[in-house]
Amino acid sequence: MCDTPNPGGPRDVCTARDEQTRVTPDGAAWLASAGAYPRSTLALWEERPDAPVVLPCGSAFDVVSAPAVFGRRMVDRLWTEGPGSGPVAAFRGRMLLFAPPGTAQRLPSLLHWEEFGRTAAIPPLLCHGTGDAVTVPAPITADGSPARPDARWLVAPDTRHPWLPGPEILLWAAVRAARAAVRISIFPRADQGAKVYDVGRRR
């Protein structure tokens, strides 16, 4: 049973969470469009909805990969203080934030300009663009549970043209997450991981 409070508005929190983590047919079509053979990808997912797929970056999207905890803080900043996020996935201890093509080339220079990498406590962000590929989690299985506990959608794609945060917005989120990390107690609240994002705020 879902009884988490919903500070973002009157929407039913269980419905919002379900919408976030379920890849819609339009969202799957957007993901598949990144590859050379989108119909084959969609056919694979139709036959095996529990199958992660490797997709190239640089055409439909770039991906910024962060360690799970820091990436979650970035997403929190985007939703609580910023414009929201595009699709976000957790995969094998990393948080994958989907961004517009070109972000992988632009964001590192912005981070360097901010002297972001000089603090050892701040983890490096991996930027995947043209020439790179990432493994994306499978769509949600028929029973509504993630196919794998270490590969799941935190904010699932639900449209053929999702809004994606650009490099400047991701820089802002990274800086805010770094500042928040300094203030967070070593004994976090028990409910710190129970985040529900109102997908209606996405542009």
Side-chain angles (χ1 to χ4, degrees), residues 82-100:
S85 74
V88 180
F91 190 81
R92 295 185 176 178
R94 307 286 297 185
M95 199 69 73
L96 309 181
L97 290 83
F98 287 71

mmCIF file with all atom_site columns, all heavy atoms in Angstrom, residues 82-100:
data_model
loop_
_atom_site.group_PDB
_atom_site.id
_atom_site.type_symbol
_atom_site.label_atom_id
_atom_site.label_alt_id
_atom_site.label_comp_id
_atom_site.label_asym_id
_atom_site.label_entity_id
_atom_site.label_seq_id
_atom_site.pdbx_PDB_ins_code
_atom_site.Cartn_x
_atom_site.Cartn_y
_atom_site.Cartn_z
_atom_site.occupancy
_atom_site.B_iso_or_equiv
_atom_site.pdbx_formal_charge
_atom_site.auth_seq_id
_atom_site.auth_comp_id
_atom_site.auth_asym_id
_atom_site.auth_atom_id
_atom_site.pdbx_PDB_model_num
ATOM 1   N N   . GLY A 1 82  ? 13.962 22.851 -9.434  1.00 0.00 ? 82  GLY A N   1
ATOM 2   C CA  . GLY A 1 82  ? 14.137 23.179 -10.840 1.00 0.00 ? 82  GLY A CA  1
ATOM 3   C C   . GLY A 1 82  ? 12.950 22.784 -11.699 1.00 0.00 ? 82  GLY A C   1
ATOM 4   O O   . GLY A 1 82  ? 11.827 22.634 -11.204 1.00 0.00 ? 82  GLY A O   1
ATOM 5   N N   . PRO A 1 83  ? 13.202 22.570 -12.992 1.00 0.00 ? 83  PRO A N   1
ATOM 6   C CA  . PRO A 1 83  ? 12.109 22.337 -13.949 1.00 0.00 ? 83  PRO A CA  1
ATOM 7   C C   . PRO A 1 83  ? 11.659 20.890 -14.052 1.00 0.00 ? 83  PRO A C   1
ATOM 8   O O   . PRO A 1 83  ? 10.801 20.579 -14.873 1.00 0.00 ? 83  PRO A O   1
ATOM 9   C CB  . PRO A 1 83  ? 12.737 22.806 -15.264 1.00 0.00 ? 83  PRO A CB  1
ATOM 10  C CG  . PRO A 1 83  ? 14.182 22.464 -15.119 1.00 0.00 ? 83  PRO A CG  1
ATOM 11  C CD  . PRO A 1 83  ? 14.508 22.712 -13.664 1.00 0.00 ? 83  PRO A CD  1
ATOM 12  N N   . GLY A 1 84  ? 12.213 19.993 -13.245 1.00 0.00 ? 84  GLY A N   1
ATOM 13  C CA  . GLY A 1 84  ? 11.947 18.572 -13.422 1.00 0.00 ? 84  GLY A CA  1
ATOM 14  C C   . GLY A 1 84  ? 13.045 17.955 -14.274 1.00 0.00 ? 84  GLY A C   1
ATOM 15  O O   . GLY A 1 84  ? 14.035 18.608 -14.614 1.00 0.00 ? 84  GLY A O   1
ATOM 16  N N   . SER A 1 85  ? 12.872 16.712 -14.621 1.00 0.00 ? 85  SER A N   1
ATOM 17  C CA  . SER A 1 85  ? 13.891 16.016 -15.400 1.00 0.00 ? 85  SER A CA  1
ATOM 18  C C   . SER A 1 85  ? 13.252 15.357 -16.608 1.00 0.00 ? 85  SER A C   1
ATOM 19  O O   . SER A 1 85  ? 12.029 15.276 -16.736 1.00 0.00 ? 85  SER A O   1
ATOM 20  C CB  . SER A 1 85  ? 14.594 14.952 -14.548 1.00 0.00 ? 85  SER A CB  1
ATOM 21  O OG  . SER A 1 85  ? 13.731 13.836 -14.350 1.00 0.00 ? 85  SER A OG  1
ATOM 22  N N   . GLY A 1 86  ? 14.106 14.873 -17.490 1.00 0.00 ? 86  GLY A N   1
ATOM 23  C CA  . GLY A 1 86  ? 13.671 13.960 -18.523 1.00 0.00 ? 86  GLY A CA  1
ATOM 24  C C   . GLY A 1 86  ? 13.706 12.553 -17.949 1.00 0.00 ? 86  GLY A C   1
ATOM 25  O O   . GLY A 1 86  ? 13.750 12.365 -16.732 1.00 0.00 ? 86  GLY A O   1
ATOM 26  N N   . PRO A 1 87  ? 13.718 11.537 -18.806 1.00 0.00 ? 87  PRO A N   1
ATOM 27  C CA  . PRO A 1 87  ? 13.832 10.169 -18.310 1.00 0.00 ? 87  PRO A CA  1
ATOM 28  C C   . PRO A 1 87  ? 15.099 9.964  -17.478 1.00 0.00 ? 87  PRO A C   1
ATOM 29  O O   . PRO A 1 87  ? 16.155 10.527 -17.770 1.00 0.00 ? 87  PRO A O   1
ATOM 30  C CB  . PRO A 1 87  ? 13.875 9.335  -19.600 1.00 0.00 ? 87  PRO A CB  1
ATOM 31  C CG  . PRO A 1 87  ? 13.126 10.165 -20.589 1.00 0.00 ? 87  PRO A CG  1
ATOM 32  C CD  . PRO A 1 87  ? 13.483 11.585 -20.255 1.00 0.00 ? 87  PRO A CD  1
ATOM 33  N N   . VAL A 1 88  ? 14.968 9.164  -16.423 1.00 0.00 ? 88  VAL A N   1
ATOM 34  C CA  . VAL A 1 88  ? 16.083 8.842  -15.542 1.00 0.00 ? 88  VAL A CA  1
ATOM 35  C C   . VAL A 1 88  ? 16.017 7.353  -15.240 1.00 0.00 ? 88  VAL A C   1
ATOM 36  O O   . VAL A 1 88  ? 14.945 6.819  -14.920 1.00 0.00 ? 88  VAL A O   1
ATOM 37  C CB  . VAL A 1 88  ? 16.022 9.629  -14.218 1.00 0.00 ? 88  VAL A CB  1
ATOM 38  C CG1 . VAL A 1 88  ? 17.203 9.254  -13.317 1.00 0.00 ? 88  VAL A CG1 1
ATOM 39  C CG2 . VAL A 1 88  ? 16.004 11.127 -14.475 1.00 0.00 ? 88  VAL A CG2 1
ATOM 40  N N   . ALA A 1 89  ? 17.158 6.686  -15.329 1.00 0.00 ? 89  ALA A N   1
ATOM 41  C CA  . ALA A 1 89  ? 17.210 5.251  -15.056 1.00 0.00 ? 89  ALA A CA  1
ATOM 42  C C   . ALA A 1 89  ? 18.324 4.953  -14.069 1.00 0.00 ? 89  ALA A C   1
ATOM 43  O O   . ALA A 1 89  ? 19.333 5.661  -14.011 1.00 0.00 ? 89  ALA A O   1
ATOM 44  C CB  . ALA A 1 89  ? 17.432 4.459  -16.344 1.00 0.00 ? 89  ALA A CB  1
ATOM 45  N N   . ALA A 1 90  ? 18.129 3.911  -13.274 1.00 0.00 ? 90  ALA A N   1
ATOM 46  C CA  . ALA A 1 90  ? 19.187 3.382  -12.418 1.00 0.00 ? 90  ALA A CA  1
ATOM 47  C C   . ALA A 1 90  ? 19.688 2.092  -13.048 1.00 0.00 ? 90  ALA A C   1
ATOM 48  O O   . ALA A 1 90  ? 18.884 1.227  -13.423 1.00 0.00 ? 90  ALA A O   1
ATOM 49  C CB  . ALA A 1 90  ? 18.648 3.109  -11.017 1.00 0.00 ? 90  ALA A CB  1
ATOM 50  N N   . PHE A 1 91  ? 21.002 1.986  -13.190 1.00 0.00 ? 91  PHE A N   1
ATOM 51  C CA  . PHE A 1 91  ? 21.561 0.783  -13.815 1.00 0.00 ? 91  PHE A CA  1
ATOM 52  C C   . PHE A 1 91  ? 22.906 0.460  -13.189 1.00 0.00 ? 91  PHE A C   1
ATOM 53  O O   . PHE A 1 91  ? 23.857 1.214  -13.302 1.00 0.00 ? 91  PHE A O   1
ATOM 54  C CB  . PHE A 1 91  ? 21.709 0.966  -15.328 1.00 0.00 ? 91  PHE A CB  1
ATOM 55  C CG  . PHE A 1 91  ? 22.048 -0.308 -16.053 1.00 0.00 ? 91  PHE A CG  1
ATOM 56  C CD1 . PHE A 1 91  ? 21.064 -1.221 -16.366 1.00 0.00 ? 91  PHE A CD1 1
ATOM 57  C CD2 . PHE A 1 91  ? 23.361 -0.600 -16.396 1.00 0.00 ? 91  PHE A CD2 1
ATOM 58  C CE1 . PHE A 1 91  ? 21.362 -2.408 -17.023 1.00 0.00 ? 91  PHE A CE1 1
ATOM 59  C CE2 . PHE A 1 91  ? 23.688 -1.774 -17.042 1.00 0.00 ? 91  PHE A CE2 1
ATOM 60  C CZ  . PHE A 1 91  ? 22.678 -2.690 -17.358 1.00 0.00 ? 91  PHE A CZ  1
ATOM 61  N N   . ARG A 1 92  ? 22.964 -0.672 -12.475 1.00 0.00 ? 92  ARG A N   1
ATOM 62  C CA  . ARG A 1 92  ? 24.215 -1.190 -11.896 1.00 0.00 ? 92  ARG A CA  1
ATOM 63  C C   . ARG A 1 92  ? 24.999 -0.148 -11.120 1.00 0.00 ? 92  ARG A C   1
ATOM 64  O O   . ARG A 1 92  ? 26.198 0.079  -11.336 1.00 0.00 ? 92  ARG A O   1
ATOM 65  C CB  . ARG A 1 92  ? 25.082 -1.801 -12.997 1.00 0.00 ? 92  ARG A CB  1
ATOM 66  C CG  . ARG A 1 92  ? 24.456 -3.030 -13.642 1.00 0.00 ? 92  ARG A CG  1
ATOM 67  C CD  . ARG A 1 92  ? 25.376 -3.683 -14.633 1.00 0.00 ? 92  ARG A CD  1
ATOM 68  N NE  . ARG A 1 92  ? 24.792 -4.897 -15.169 1.00 0.00 ? 92  ARG A NE  1
ATOM 69  C CZ  . ARG A 1 92  ? 25.368 -5.663 -16.089 1.00 0.00 ? 92  ARG A CZ  1
ATOM 70  N NH1 . ARG A 1 92  ? 26.563 -5.319 -16.565 1.00 0.00 ? 92  ARG A NH1 1
ATOM 71  N NH2 . ARG A 1 92  ? 24.770 -6.760 -16.516 1.00 0.00 ? 92  ARG A NH2 1
ATOM 72  N N   . GLY A 1 93  ? 24.326 0.500  -10.183 1.00 0.00 ? 93  GLY A N   1
ATOM 73  C CA  . GLY A 1 93  ? 25.007 1.431  -9.295  1.00 0.00 ? 93  GLY A CA  1
ATOM 74  C C   . GLY A 1 93  ? 25.235 2.809  -9.867  1.00 0.00 ? 93  GLY A C   1
ATOM 75  O O   . GLY A 1 93  ? 25.906 3.636  -9.237  1.00 0.00 ? 93  GLY A O   1
ATOM 76  N N   . ARG A 1 94  ? 24.695 3.086  -11.048 1.00 0.00 ? 94  ARG A N   1
ATOM 77  C CA  . ARG A 1 94  ? 24.810 4.414  -11.652 1.00 0.00 ? 94  ARG A CA  1
ATOM 78  C C   . ARG A 1 94  ? 23.423 4.978  -11.902 1.00 0.00 ? 94  ARG A C   1
ATOM 79  O O   . ARG A 1 94  ? 22.448 4.241  -12.054 1.00 0.00 ? 94  ARG A O   1
ATOM 80  C CB  . ARG A 1 94  ? 25.557 4.353  -12.990 1.00 0.00 ? 94  ARG A CB  1
ATOM 81  C CG  . ARG A 1 94  ? 26.905 3.683  -12.954 1.00 0.00 ? 94  ARG A CG  1
ATOM 82  C CD  . ARG A 1 94  ? 27.966 4.530  -12.306 1.00 0.00 ? 94  ARG A CD  1
ATOM 83  N NE  . ARG A 1 94  ? 28.236 5.779  -13.009 1.00 0.00 ? 94  ARG A NE  1
ATOM 84  C CZ  . ARG A 1 94  ? 29.199 6.619  -12.649 1.00 0.00 ? 94  ARG A CZ  1
ATOM 85  N NH1 . ARG A 1 94  ? 29.963 6.363  -11.602 1.00 0.00 ? 94  ARG A NH1 1
ATOM 86  N NH2 . ARG A 1 94  ? 29.398 7.747  -13.320 1.00 0.00 ? 94  ARG A NH2 1
ATOM 87  N N   . MET A 1 95  ? 23.324 6.298  -11.915 1.00 0.00 ? 95  MET A N   1
ATOM 88  C CA  . MET A 1 95  ? 22.099 6.979  -12.282 1.00 0.00 ? 95  MET A CA  1
ATOM 89  C C   . MET A 1 95  ? 22.296 7.572  -13.677 1.00 0.00 ? 95  MET A C   1
ATOM 90  O O   . MET A 1 95  ? 23.263 8.296  -13.918 1.00 0.00 ? 95  MET A O   1
ATOM 91  C CB  . MET A 1 95  ? 21.772 8.085  -11.281 1.00 0.00 ? 95  MET A CB  1
ATOM 92  C CG  . MET A 1 95  ? 20.334 8.529  -11.319 1.00 0.00 ? 95  MET A CG  1
ATOM 93  S SD  . MET A 1 95  ? 19.190 7.279  -10.694 1.00 0.00 ? 95  MET A SD  1
ATOM 94  C CE  . MET A 1 95  ? 19.544 7.363  -8.937  1.00 0.00 ? 95  MET A CE  1
ATOM 95  N N   . LEU A 1 96  ? 21.415 7.238  -14.597 1.00 0.00 ? 96  LEU A N   1
ATOM 96  C CA  . LEU A 1 96  ? 21.512 7.692  -15.981 1.00 0.00 ? 96  LEU A CA  1
ATOM 97  C C   . LEU A 1 96  ? 20.490 8.792  -16.225 1.00 0.00 ? 96  LEU A C   1
ATOM 98  O O   . LEU A 1 96  ? 19.278 8.539  -16.184 1.00 0.00 ? 96  LEU A O   1
ATOM 99  C CB  . LEU A 1 96  ? 21.269 6.527  -16.942 1.00 0.00 ? 96  LEU A CB  1
ATOM 100 C CG  . LEU A 1 96  ? 22.094 5.253  -16.716 1.00 0.00 ? 96  LEU A CG  1
ATOM 101 C CD1 . LEU A 1 96  ? 21.736 4.203  -17.771 1.00 0.00 ? 96  LEU A CD1 1
ATOM 102 C CD2 . LEU A 1 96  ? 23.585 5.555  -16.734 1.00 0.00 ? 96  LEU A CD2 1
ATOM 103 N N   . LEU A 1 97  ? 20.960 10.008 -16.459 1.00 0.00 ? 97  LEU A N   1
ATOM 104 C CA  . LEU A 1 97  ? 20.093 11.139 -16.740 1.00 0.00 ? 97  LEU A CA  1
ATOM 105 C C   . LEU A 1 97  ? 20.127 11.415 -18.244 1.00 0.00 ? 97  LEU A C   1
ATOM 106 O O   . LEU A 1 97  ? 21.198 11.694 -18.807 1.00 0.00 ? 97  LEU A O   1
ATOM 107 C CB  . LEU A 1 97  ? 20.535 12.384 -15.970 1.00 0.00 ? 97  LEU A CB  1
ATOM 108 C CG  . LEU A 1 97  ? 20.328 12.370 -14.452 1.00 0.00 ? 97  LEU A CG  1
ATOM 109 C CD1 . LEU A 1 97  ? 21.477 11.653 -13.753 1.00 0.00 ? 97  LEU A CD1 1
ATOM 110 C CD2 . LEU A 1 97  ? 20.209 13.780 -13.917 1.00 0.00 ? 97  LEU A CD2 1
ATOM 111 N N   . PHE A 1 98  ? 18.991 11.308 -18.900 1.00 0.00 ? 98  PHE A N   1
ATOM 112 C CA  . PHE A 1 98  ? 18.914 11.503 -20.342 1.00 0.00 ? 98  PHE A CA  1
ATOM 113 C C   . PHE A 1 98  ? 18.865 13.000 -20.653 1.00 0.00 ? 98  PHE A C   1
ATOM 114 O O   . PHE A 1 98  ? 18.136 13.762 -20.019 1.00 0.00 ? 98  PHE A O   1
ATOM 115 C CB  . PHE A 1 98  ? 17.700 10.777 -20.905 1.00 0.00 ? 98  PHE A CB  1
ATOM 116 C CG  . PHE A 1 98  ? 17.875 9.285  -20.941 1.00 0.00 ? 98  PHE A CG  1
ATOM 117 C CD1 . PHE A 1 98  ? 17.874 8.548  -19.766 1.00 0.00 ? 98  PHE A CD1 1
ATOM 118 C CD2 . PHE A 1 98  ? 18.073 8.620  -22.142 1.00 0.00 ? 98  PHE A CD2 1
ATOM 119 C CE1 . PHE A 1 98  ? 18.042 7.172  -19.782 1.00 0.00 ? 98  PHE A CE1 1
ATOM 120 C CE2 . PHE A 1 98  ? 18.247 7.241  -22.172 1.00 0.00 ? 98  PHE A CE2 1
ATOM 121 C CZ  . PHE A 1 98  ? 18.234 6.517  -20.991 1.00 0.00 ? 98  PHE A CZ  1
ATOM 122 N N   . ALA A 1 99  ? 19.659 13.389 -21.635 1.00 0.00 ? 99  ALA A N   1
ATOM 123 C CA  . ALA A 1 99  ? 19.840 14.804 -21.975 1.00 0.00 ? 99  ALA A CA  1
ATOM 124 C C   . ALA A 1 99  ? 19.830 14.964 -23.488 1.00 0.00 ? 99  ALA A C   1
ATOM 125 O O   . ALA A 1 99  ? 19.936 13.981 -24.229 1.00 0.00 ? 99  ALA A O   1
ATOM 126 C CB  . ALA A 1 99  ? 21.153 15.310 -21.381 1.00 0.00 ? 99  ALA A CB  1
ATOM 127 N N   . PRO A 1 100 ? 19.715 16.203 -23.987 1.00 0.00 ? 100 PRO A N   1
ATOM 128 C CA  . PRO A 1 100 ? 19.698 16.410 -25.435 1.00 0.00 ? 100 PRO A CA  1
ATOM 129 C C   . PRO A 1 100 ? 21.033 16.040 -26.075 1.00 0.00 ? 100 PRO A C   1
ATOM 130 O O   . PRO A 1 100 ? 22.091 16.129 -25.431 1.00 0.00 ? 100 PRO A O   1
ATOM 131 C CB  . PRO A 1 100 ? 19.430 17.915 -25.583 1.00 0.00 ? 100 PRO A CB  1
ATOM 132 C CG  . PRO A 1 100 ? 18.934 18.373 -24.258 1.00 0.00 ? 100 PRO A CG  1
ATOM 133 C CD  . PRO A 1 100 ? 19.541 17.457 -23.249 1.00 0.00 ? 100 PRO A CD  1
#
